[in-house]
Amino acid sequence: MIKCHCAEVFFEYVLSAVKGTNNPVLEIARELGAATTCTACTSDLLNYVSKRLEESVFAGNSAY
């Protein structure tokens, strides 16, 4: 899964918003309307963002 189908919010959009703040992932997602209706995407969303942030760290990106 690459997006919240209920809200039509792509996980990449959530990731971009997370990188610009220190707020929790689910707080950002819910501000964008994701992971609030059926919540079926919640675990996929968290895994997606976590993996991408981890990849950024290992790639030498000092921001994350």
Side-chain angles (χ1 to χ4, degrees), residues 6-55:
C6 296
E8 295 295 315
V9 175
F10 282 90
F11 295 166
E12 183 63 34
Y13 187 57
V14 176
L15 175 63
S16 294
V18 167
K19 286 182 176 181
T21 183
N22 288 325
N23 294 339
V25 174
L26 288 179
E27 181 179 316
I28 299 290
R30 291 184 175 133
E31 287 174 6
L32 298 172
T36 60
T37 304
C38 78
T39 69
C41 66
T42 303
S43 63
D44 288 337
L45 170 64
L46 292 172
N47 288 334
Y48 179 92
V49 171
S50 175
K51 182 177 180 192
R52 295 312 182 283
L53 291 176
E54 184 178 290
E55 288 170 355

